[in-house]
Amino acid sequence: MTSEAEIERIDQIVSALLGGSYTHAKGSGTLSSEEILVIAPYNVQVNRLRQRLDGKARVGTVDKFQGQEAPVAILSLTASSGDDAPRGLGFLLSPNRLNVAISRAQCLSIVVGSPGLTSGLANTIEEAEQINRLCRIIQRSGS
């Protein structure tokens, strides 16, 4: 599963961030491709992002970046709705997966996703909680 709209938006974000400065508790510097992580839940999206970004950022799955940090982490949710998520909302919006993806950032964490994920129908209480958690993340970001 891929989202070309998210790939386009992430390319724009990465291009805008490259060369900018950052400061966090462990130091400061200029953002290069090594200081930007782009994370996606599905290998197909990861591969398309790698092609598009062509070395402008480190790209991988949540599992690849577990235990690593960078000044900036960008998460691509990829699915446009819960029904479109190949492994379901439980996989896509798992609290542990979201936490690992977002907490890779030392300065800035960006979540790129479809508004359809926040307005979809939940099939279980757990899915409703996951959608609610995503809404809180979005609300905190001021989007």
Side-chain angles (χ1 to χ4, degrees), residues 62-109:
V62 170
D63 299 324
K64 176 180 178 166
F65 292 128
Q66 189 148 358
Q68 298 181 44
E69 291 183 323
V72 176
I74 302 169
L75 172 62
S76 171
L77 293 174
T78 310
S80 57
S81 72
D83 292 336
D84 293 336
R87 297 185 192 172
L89 279 178
F91 174 80
L92 184 62
L93 300 180
S94 155
N96 293 341
R97 296 181 73 73
L98 278 177
N99 179 57
V100 168
I102 292 169
S103 66
R104 300 307 87 206
Q106 297 166 317
C107 300
L108 177 64
S109 183

mmCIF file of all heavy atoms in Angstrom, residues 62-109:
data_model
loop_
_atom_site.group_PDB
_atom_site.id
_atom_site.type_symbol
_atom_site.label_atom_id
_atom_site.label_comp_id
_atom_site.label_asym_id
_atom_site.label_seq_id
_atom_site.Cartn_x
_atom_site.Cartn_y
_atom_site.Cartn_z
ATOM 1 N N VAL A 62 9.066 1.352 11.386
ATOM 2 C CA VAL A 62 9.193 1.571 12.826
ATOM 3 C C VAL A 62 10.223 0.601 13.399
ATOM 4 O O VAL A 62 11.082 0.994 14.191
ATOM 5 C CB VAL A 62 7.825 1.390 13.521
ATOM 6 C CG1 VAL A 62 7.969 1.377 15.029
ATOM 7 C CG2 VAL A 62 6.852 2.469 13.081
ATOM 8 N N ASP A 63 10.163 -0.648 12.977
ATOM 9 C CA ASP A 63 11.076 -1.661 13.502
ATOM 10 C C ASP A 63 12.532 -1.333 13.190
ATOM 11 O O ASP A 63 13.416 -1.547 14.017
ATOM 12 C CB ASP A 63 10.723 -3.038 12.947
ATOM 13 C CG ASP A 63 9.315 -3.473 13.335
ATOM 14 O OD1 ASP A 63 8.894 -3.155 14.466
ATOM 15 O OD2 ASP A 63 8.636 -4.104 12.516
ATOM 16 N N LYS A 64 12.790 -0.795 12.022
ATOM 17 C CA LYS A 64 14.169 -0.462 11.635
ATOM 18 C C LYS A 64 14.768 0.606 12.550
ATOM 19 O O LYS A 64 15.943 0.559 12.882
ATOM 20 C CB LYS A 64 14.220 0.020 10.194
ATOM 21 C CG LYS A 64 15.628 0.465 9.801
ATOM 22 C CD LYS A 64 15.747 0.948 8.400
ATOM 23 C CE LYS A 64 17.174 1.408 8.177
ATOM 24 N NZ LYS A 64 17.532 1.616 6.825
ATOM 25 N N PHE A 65 13.948 1.586 12.944
ATOM 26 C CA PHE A 65 14.465 2.714 13.710
ATOM 27 C C PHE A 65 14.307 2.574 15.216
ATOM 28 O O PHE A 65 14.666 3.475 15.956
ATOM 29 C CB PHE A 65 13.825 4.020 13.238
ATOM 30 C CG PHE A 65 14.249 4.417 11.854
ATOM 31 C CD1 PHE A 65 13.314 4.716 10.886
ATOM 32 C CD2 PHE A 65 15.585 4.484 11.511
ATOM 33 C CE1 PHE A 65 13.698 5.086 9.611
ATOM 34 C CE2 PHE A 65 15.987 4.850 10.238
ATOM 35 C CZ PHE A 65 15.037 5.151 9.290
ATOM 36 N N GLN A 66 13.787 1.456 15.697
ATOM 37 C CA GLN A 66 13.639 1.263 17.129
ATOM 38 C C GLN A 66 15.006 1.394 17.790
ATOM 39 O O GLN A 66 15.985 0.809 17.347
ATOM 40 C CB GLN A 66 13.031 -0.095 17.434
ATOM 41 C CG GLN A 66 12.657 -0.231 18.891
ATOM 42 C CD GLN A 66 11.452 -1.115 19.103
ATOM 43 O OE1 GLN A 66 10.858 -1.612 18.173
ATOM 44 N NE2 GLN A 66 11.094 -1.297 20.347
ATOM 45 N N GLY A 67 15.072 2.226 18.822
ATOM 46 C CA GLY A 67 16.325 2.445 19.543
ATOM 47 C C GLY A 67 17.193 3.545 18.956
ATOM 48 O O GLY A 67 18.198 3.914 19.542
ATOM 49 N N GLN A 68 16.824 4.083 17.793
ATOM 50 C CA GLN A 68 17.584 5.173 17.175
ATOM 51 C C GLN A 68 16.857 6.490 17.384
ATOM 52 O O GLN A 68 15.651 6.521 17.594
ATOM 53 C CB GLN A 68 17.755 4.925 15.682
ATOM 54 C CG GLN A 68 18.531 3.670 15.350
ATOM 55 C CD GLN A 68 18.689 3.496 13.859
ATOM 56 O OE1 GLN A 68 18.992 4.440 13.142
ATOM 57 N NE2 GLN A 68 18.472 2.274 13.381
ATOM 58 N N GLU A 69 17.592 7.588 17.321
ATOM 59 C CA GLU A 69 17.012 8.922 17.421
ATOM 60 C C GLU A 69 17.608 9.813 16.353
ATOM 61 O O GLU A 69 18.688 9.539 15.831
ATOM 62 C CB GLU A 69 17.300 9.549 18.790
ATOM 63 C CG GLU A 69 16.591 8.903 19.936
ATOM 64 C CD GLU A 69 16.881 9.620 21.242
ATOM 65 O OE1 GLU A 69 18.035 10.083 21.451
ATOM 66 O OE2 GLU A 69 15.962 9.724 22.067
ATOM 67 N N ALA A 70 16.911 10.906 16.076
ATOM 68 C CA ALA A 70 17.390 11.945 15.169
ATOM 69 C C ALA A 70 16.662 13.228 15.540
ATOM 70 O O ALA A 70 15.602 13.181 16.178
ATOM 71 C CB ALA A 70 17.111 11.565 13.717
ATOM 72 N N PRO A 71 17.198 14.366 15.164
ATOM 73 C CA PRO A 71 16.499 15.614 15.470
ATOM 74 C C PRO A 71 15.067 15.652 14.931
ATOM 75 O O PRO A 71 14.166 16.165 15.584
ATOM 76 C CB PRO A 71 17.379 16.683 14.817
ATOM 77 C CG PRO A 71 18.750 16.085 14.857
ATOM 78 C CD PRO A 71 18.525 14.620 14.577
ATOM 79 N N VAL A 72 14.843 15.085 13.742
ATOM 80 C CA VAL A 72 13.515 15.130 13.127
ATOM 81 C C VAL A 72 13.073 13.714 12.767
ATOM 82 O O VAL A 72 13.849 12.939 12.220
ATOM 83 C CB VAL A 72 13.511 16.000 11.847
ATOM 84 C CG1 VAL A 72 12.156 15.959 11.156
ATOM 85 C CG2 VAL A 72 13.910 17.437 12.165
ATOM 86 N N ALA A 73 11.804 13.404 13.071
ATOM 87 C CA ALA A 73 11.191 12.148 12.644
ATOM 88 C C ALA A 73 9.861 12.474 11.975
ATOM 89 O O ALA A 73 9.056 13.237 12.518
ATOM 90 C CB ALA A 73 10.965 11.210 13.821
ATOM 91 N N ILE A 74 9.658 11.932 10.790
ATOM 92 C CA ILE A 74 8.422 12.143 10.035
ATOM 93 C C ILE A 74 7.765 10.780 9.855
ATOM 94 O O ILE A 74 8.380 9.849 9.349
ATOM 95 C CB ILE A 74 8.709 12.778 8.662
ATOM 96 C CG1 ILE A 74 9.442 14.109 8.835
ATOM 97 C CG2 ILE A 74 7.408 12.964 7.881
ATOM 98 C CD1 ILE A 74 9.994 14.689 7.541
ATOM 99 N N LEU A 75 6.501 10.673 10.277
ATOM 100 C CA LEU A 75 5.757 9.429 10.163
ATOM 101 C C LEU A 75 4.715 9.550 9.063
ATOM 102 O O LEU A 75 3.889 10.445 9.084
ATOM 103 C CB LEU A 75 5.062 9.096 11.489
ATOM 104 C CG LEU A 75 4.089 7.912 11.480
ATOM 105 C CD1 LEU A 75 4.810 6.618 11.128
ATOM 106 C CD2 LEU A 75 3.386 7.801 12.825
ATOM 107 N N SER A 76 4.764 8.637 8.108
ATOM 108 C CA SER A 76 3.751 8.535 7.067
ATOM 109 C C SER A 76 2.772 7.451 7.484
ATOM 110 O O SER A 76 3.152 6.291 7.618
ATOM 111 C CB SER A 76 4.412 8.160 5.736
ATOM 112 O OG SER A 76 3.431 7.847 4.773
ATOM 113 N N LEU A 77 1.505 7.807 7.680
ATOM 114 C CA LEU A 77 0.506 6.809 8.073
ATOM 115 C C LEU A 77 0.043 5.963 6.888
ATOM 116 O O LEU A 77 -0.455 4.871 7.063
ATOM 117 C CB LEU A 77 -0.679 7.487 8.752
ATOM 118 C CG LEU A 77 -0.353 8.113 10.111
ATOM 119 C CD1 LEU A 77 -1.555 8.883 10.642
ATOM 120 C CD2 LEU A 77 0.096 7.064 11.105
ATOM 121 N N THR A 78 0.183 6.484 5.678
ATOM 122 C CA THR A 78 -0.024 5.769 4.414
ATOM 123 C C THR A 78 -1.481 5.475 4.066
ATOM 124 O O THR A 78 -1.915 5.775 2.968
ATOM 125 C CB THR A 78 0.792 4.457 4.353
ATOM 126 O OG1 THR A 78 2.141 4.738 4.700
ATOM 127 C CG2 THR A 78 0.752 3.835 2.985
ATOM 128 N N ALA A 79 -2.254 4.890 4.951
ATOM 129 C CA ALA A 79 -3.647 4.528 4.651
ATOM 130 C C ALA A 79 -4.545 5.763 4.709
ATOM 131 O O ALA A 79 -4.370 6.630 5.552
ATOM 132 C CB ALA A 79 -4.140 3.483 5.642
ATOM 133 N N SER A 80 -5.511 5.833 3.816
ATOM 134 C CA SER A 80 -6.416 6.982 3.803
ATOM 135 C C SER A 80 -7.636 6.764 4.699
ATOM 136 O O SER A 80 -8.338 7.707 5.025
ATOM 137 C CB SER A 80 -6.859 7.304 2.375
ATOM 138 O OG SER A 80 -7.466 6.179 1.794
ATOM 139 N N SER A 81 -7.872 5.527 5.118
ATOM 140 C CA SER A 81 -8.954 5.223 6.055
ATOM 141 C C SER A 81 -8.639 3.888 6.718
ATOM 142 O O SER A 81 -7.769 3.148 6.257
ATOM 143 C CB SER A 81 -10.296 5.135 5.329
ATOM 144 O OG SER A 81 -10.360 3.965 4.545
ATOM 145 N N GLY A 82 -9.369 3.597 7.765
ATOM 146 C CA GLY A 82 -9.171 2.321 8.443
ATOM 147 C C GLY A 82 -9.449 1.142 7.539
ATOM 148 O O GLY A 82 -8.792 0.108 7.625
ATOM 149 N N ASP A 83 -10.429 1.290 6.648
ATOM 150 C CA ASP A 83 -10.757 0.209 5.717
ATOM 151 C C ASP A 83 -9.637 -0.049 4.717
ATOM 152 O O ASP A 83 -9.507 -1.154 4.199
ATOM 153 C CB ASP A 83 -12.048 0.535 4.960
ATOM 154 C CG ASP A 83 -13.265 0.522 5.872
ATOM 155 O OD1 ASP A 83 -13.221 -0.145 6.921
ATOM 156 O OD2 ASP A 83 -14.254 1.192 5.521
ATOM 157 N N ASP A 84 -8.827 0.984 4.435
ATOM 158 C CA ASP A 84 -7.731 0.850 3.481
ATOM 159 C C ASP A 84 -6.459 0.264 4.098
ATOM 160 O O ASP A 84 -5.557 -0.132 3.370
ATOM 161 C CB ASP A 84 -7.377 2.215 2.884
ATOM 162 C CG ASP A 84 -8.473 2.772 2.010
ATOM 163 O OD1 ASP A 84 -9.279 1.980 1.494
ATOM 164 O OD2 ASP A 84 -8.523 4.009 1.847
ATOM 165 N N ALA A 85 -6.383 0.245 5.411
ATOM 166 C CA ALA A 85 -5.174 -0.240 6.091
ATOM 167 C C ALA A 85 -5.075 -1.759 5.932
ATOM 168 O O ALA A 85 -5.917 -2.483 6.455
ATOM 169 C CB ALA A 85 -5.204 0.151 7.560
ATOM 170 N N PRO A 86 -4.054 -2.249 5.219
ATOM 171 C CA PRO A 86 -3.952 -3.683 4.944
ATOM 172 C C PRO A 86 -3.975 -4.568 6.185
ATOM 173 O O PRO A 86 -4.540 -5.644 6.164
ATOM 174 C CB PRO A 86 -2.617 -3.824 4.215
ATOM 175 C CG PRO A 86 -2.336 -2.491 3.668
ATOM 176 C CD PRO A 86 -2.966 -1.501 4.605
ATOM 177 N N ARG A 87 -3.370 -4.120 7.248
ATOM 178 C CA ARG A 87 -3.333 -4.925 8.475
ATOM 179 C C ARG A 87 -4.326 -4.400 9.514
ATOM 180 O O ARG A 87 -4.264 -4.783 10.675
ATOM 181 C CB ARG A 87 -1.929 -4.932 9.057
ATOM 182 C CG ARG A 87 -0.917 -5.585 8.144
ATOM 183 C CD ARG A 87 0.414 -5.658 8.820
ATOM 184 N NE ARG A 87 1.451 -6.015 7.874
ATOM 185 C CZ ARG A 87 2.737 -6.000 8.163
ATOM 186 N NH1 ARG A 87 3.147 -5.654 9.350
ATOM 187 N NH2 ARG A 87 3.624 -6.330 7.249
ATOM 188 N N GLY A 88 -5.196 -3.480 9.109
ATOM 189 C CA GLY A 88 -6.200 -2.928 10.007
ATOM 190 C C GLY A 88 -5.683 -1.772 10.844
ATOM 191 O O GLY A 88 -4.484 -1.505 10.897
ATOM 192 N N LEU A 89 -6.620 -1.088 11.493
ATOM 193 C CA LEU A 89 -6.256 0.044 12.353
ATOM 194 C C LEU A 89 -5.401 -0.395 13.539
ATOM 195 O O LEU A 89 -4.567 0.364 14.006
ATOM 196 C CB LEU A 89 -7.509 0.746 12.871
ATOM 197 C CG LEU A 89 -8.182 1.722 11.929
ATOM 198 C CD1 LEU A 89 -9.436 2.292 12.573
ATOM 199 C CD2 LEU A 89 -7.244 2.831 11.514
ATOM 200 N N GLY A 90 -5.629 -1.611 14.019
ATOM 201 C CA GLY A 90 -4.865 -2.098 15.162
ATOM 202 C C GLY A 90 -3.373 -2.068 14.917
ATOM 203 O O GLY A 90 -2.601 -1.718 15.799
ATOM 204 N N PHE A 91 -2.959 -2.411 13.717
ATOM 205 C CA PHE A 91 -1.547 -2.364 13.354
ATOM 206 C C PHE A 91 -1.096 -0.926 13.121
ATOM 207 O O PHE A 91 -0.099 -0.481 13.663
ATOM 208 C CB PHE A 91 -1.298 -3.196 12.093
ATOM 209 C CG PHE A 91 0.102 -3.085 11.561
ATOM 210 C CD1 PHE A 91 1.129 -3.815 12.138
ATOM 211 C CD2 PHE A 91 0.396 -2.260 10.486
ATOM 212 C CE1 PHE A 91 2.432 -3.719 11.652
ATOM 213 C CE2 PHE A 91 1.690 -2.161 10.003
ATOM 214 C CZ PHE A 91 2.707 -2.890 10.586
ATOM 215 N N LEU A 92 -1.858 -0.201 12.324
ATOM 216 C CA LEU A 92 -1.469 1.145 11.922
ATOM 217 C C LEU A 92 -1.393 2.116 13.098
ATOM 218 O O LEU A 92 -0.458 2.901 13.202
ATOM 219 C CB LEU A 92 -2.462 1.678 10.877
ATOM 220 C CG LEU A 92 -2.146 3.032 10.276
ATOM 221 C CD1 LEU A 92 -0.824 2.994 9.517
ATOM 222 C CD2 LEU A 92 -3.274 3.455 9.345
ATOM 223 N N LEU A 93 -2.384 2.064 13.985
ATOM 224 C CA LEU A 93 -2.463 3.026 15.087
ATOM 225 C C LEU A 93 -2.128 2.412 16.442
ATOM 226 O O LEU A 93 -2.486 2.969 17.482
ATOM 227 C CB LEU A 93 -3.866 3.652 15.123
ATOM 228 C CG LEU A 93 -4.291 4.399 13.868
ATOM 229 C CD1 LEU A 93 -5.696 4.959 14.039
ATOM 230 C CD2 LEU A 93 -3.312 5.507 13.512
ATOM 231 N N SER A 94 -1.426 1.308 16.437
ATOM 232 C CA SER A 94 -1.017 0.678 17.692
ATOM 233 C C SER A 94 -0.287 1.705 18.560
ATOM 234 O O SER A 94 0.621 2.388 18.087
ATOM 235 C CB SER A 94 -0.083 -0.493 17.375
ATOM 236 O OG SER A 94 0.763 -0.774 18.456
ATOM 237 N N PRO A 95 -0.663 1.802 19.848
ATOM 238 C CA PRO A 95 0.012 2.776 20.721
ATOM 239 C C PRO A 95 1.521 2.587 20.758
ATOM 240 O O PRO A 95 2.266 3.560 20.742
ATOM 241 C CB PRO A 95 -0.600 2.528 22.097
ATOM 242 C CG PRO A 95 -1.799 1.705 21.881
ATOM 243 C CD PRO A 95 -1.684 1.048 20.545
ATOM 244 N N ASN A 96 1.970 1.353 20.793
ATOM 245 C CA ASN A 96 3.416 1.097 20.850
ATOM 246 C C ASN A 96 4.105 1.547 19.566
ATOM 247 O O ASN A 96 5.176 2.160 19.606
ATOM 248 C CB ASN A 96 3.691 -0.384 21.097
ATOM 249 C CG ASN A 96 3.245 -0.827 22.471
ATOM 250 O OD1 ASN A 96 3.062 -0.009 23.365
ATOM 251 N ND2 ASN A 96 3.042 -2.117 22.639
ATOM 252 N N ARG A 97 3.505 1.248 18.417
ATOM 253 C CA ARG A 97 4.105 1.640 17.136
ATOM 254 C C ARG A 97 4.126 3.156 16.994
ATOM 255 O O ARG A 97 5.125 3.734 16.555
ATOM 256 C CB ARG A 97 3.372 0.986 15.975
ATOM 257 C CG ARG A 97 3.494 -0.539 15.978
ATOM 258 C CD ARG A 97 2.772 -1.167 14.812
ATOM 259 N NE ARG A 97 3.491 -0.940 13.569
ATOM 260 C CZ ARG A 97 4.613 -1.534 13.223
ATOM 261 N NH1 ARG A 97 5.177 -2.393 14.033
ATOM 262 N NH2 ARG A 97 5.186 -1.284 12.077
ATOM 263 N N LEU A 98 3.013 3.825 17.330
ATOM 264 C CA LEU A 98 2.971 5.290 17.253
ATOM 265 C C LEU A 98 3.999 5.896 18.197
ATOM 266 O O LEU A 98 4.707 6.843 17.832
ATOM 267 C CB LEU A 98 1.583 5.822 17.594
ATOM 268 C CG LEU A 98 0.552 5.805 16.494
ATOM 269 C CD1 LEU A 98 -0.797 6.295 17.024
ATOM 270 C CD2 LEU A 98 0.974 6.645 15.302
ATOM 271 N N ASN A 99 4.092 5.377 19.411
ATOM 272 C CA ASN A 99 5.046 5.906 20.378
ATOM 273 C C ASN A 99 6.477 5.766 19.875
ATOM 274 O O ASN A 99 7.259 6.713 19.956
ATOM 275 C CB ASN A 99 4.886 5.204 21.730
ATOM 276 C CG ASN A 99 5.878 5.725 22.737
ATOM 277 O OD1 ASN A 99 5.931 6.913 23.014
ATOM 278 N ND2 ASN A 99 6.689 4.838 23.280
ATOM 279 N N VAL A 100 6.817 4.588 19.362
ATOM 280 C CA VAL A 100 8.179 4.388 18.852
ATOM 281 C C VAL A 100 8.454 5.351 17.705
ATOM 282 O O VAL A 100 9.495 6.004 17.664
ATOM 283 C CB VAL A 100 8.409 2.918 18.412
ATOM 284 C CG1 VAL A 100 9.700 2.775 17.624
ATOM 285 C CG2 VAL A 100 8.427 2.001 19.621
ATOM 286 N N ALA A 101 7.501 5.491 16.786
ATOM 287 C CA ALA A 101 7.709 6.369 15.623
ATOM 288 C C ALA A 101 7.875 7.824 16.042
ATOM 289 O O ALA A 101 8.806 8.506 15.604
ATOM 290 C CB ALA A 101 6.535 6.223 14.653
ATOM 291 N N ILE A 102 7.003 8.297 16.888
ATOM 292 C CA ILE A 102 7.023 9.713 17.283
ATOM 293 C C ILE A 102 8.200 10.016 18.204
ATOM 294 O O ILE A 102 8.817 11.076 18.112
ATOM 295 C CB ILE A 102 5.681 10.093 17.938
ATOM 296 C CG1 ILE A 102 4.570 10.056 16.883
ATOM 297 C CG2 ILE A 102 5.746 11.463 18.581
ATOM 298 C CD1 ILE A 102 3.179 10.158 17.447
ATOM 299 N N SER A 103 8.531 9.096 19.077
ATOM 300 C CA SER A 103 9.584 9.362 20.063
ATOM 301 C C SER A 103 10.996 9.243 19.496
ATOM 302 O O SER A 103 11.967 9.464 20.209
ATOM 303 C CB SER A 103 9.420 8.440 21.273
ATOM 304 O OG SER A 103 9.628 7.094 20.905
ATOM 305 N N ARG A 104 11.157 8.919 18.219
ATOM 306 C CA ARG A 104 12.484 8.907 17.596
ATOM 307 C C ARG A 104 13.021 10.330 17.462
ATOM 308 O O ARG A 104 14.215 10.542 17.340
ATOM 309 C CB ARG A 104 12.453 8.281 16.202
ATOM 310 C CG ARG A 104 11.985 6.836 16.074
ATOM 311 C CD ARG A 104 12.697 5.852 16.959
ATOM 312 N NE ARG A 104 12.033 5.809 18.245
ATOM 313 C CZ ARG A 104 12.601 5.470 19.396
ATOM 314 N NH1 ARG A 104 13.838 5.122 19.454
ATOM 315 N NH2 ARG A 104 11.920 5.483 20.527
ATOM 316 N N ALA A 105 12.126 11.312 17.474
ATOM 317 C CA ALA A 105 12.518 12.707 17.257
ATOM 318 C C ALA A 105 13.074 13.331 18.530
ATOM 319 O O ALA A 105 12.482 13.228 19.594
ATOM 320 C CB ALA A 105 11.321 13.510 16.770
ATOM 321 N N GLN A 106 14.196 14.003 18.395
ATOM 322 C CA GLN A 106 14.779 14.744 19.500
ATOM 323 C C GLN A 106 14.253 16.176 19.549
ATOM 324 O O GLN A 106 14.288 16.801 20.599
ATOM 325 C CB GLN A 106 16.302 14.767 19.359
ATOM 326 C CG GLN A 106 16.922 13.386 19.442
ATOM 327 C CD GLN A 106 18.357 13.385 18.974
ATOM 328 O OE1 GLN A 106 18.701 13.996 17.964
ATOM 329 N NE2 GLN A 106 19.213 12.678 19.707
ATOM 330 N N CYS A 107 13.809 16.707 18.423
ATOM 331 C CA CYS A 107 13.326 18.094 18.348
ATOM 332 C C CYS A 107 11.921 18.204 17.765
ATOM 333 O O CYS A 107 11.077 18.903 18.308
ATOM 334 C CB CYS A 107 14.234 18.954 17.472
ATOM 335 S SG CYS A 107 15.924 19.076 18.018
ATOM 336 N N LEU A 108 11.700 17.556 16.636
ATOM 337 C CA LEU A 108 10.466 17.751 15.875
ATOM 338 C C LEU A 108 9.949 16.421 15.349
ATOM 339 O O LEU A 108 10.673 15.682 14.698
ATOM 340 C CB LEU A 108 10.730 18.694 14.691
ATOM 341 C CG LEU A 108 9.580 18.960 13.724
ATOM 342 C CD1 LEU A 108 8.436 19.683 14.424
ATOM 343 C CD2 LEU A 108 10.076 19.782 12.542
ATOM 344 N N SER A 109 8.690 16.144 15.647
ATOM 345 C CA SER A 109 8.030 14.953 15.126
ATOM 346 C C SER A 109 6.850 15.411 14.282
ATOM 347 O O SER A 109 6.044 16.230 14.722
ATOM 348 C CB SER A 109 7.545 14.083 16.290
ATOM 349 O OG SER A 109 6.969 12.907 15.797
#
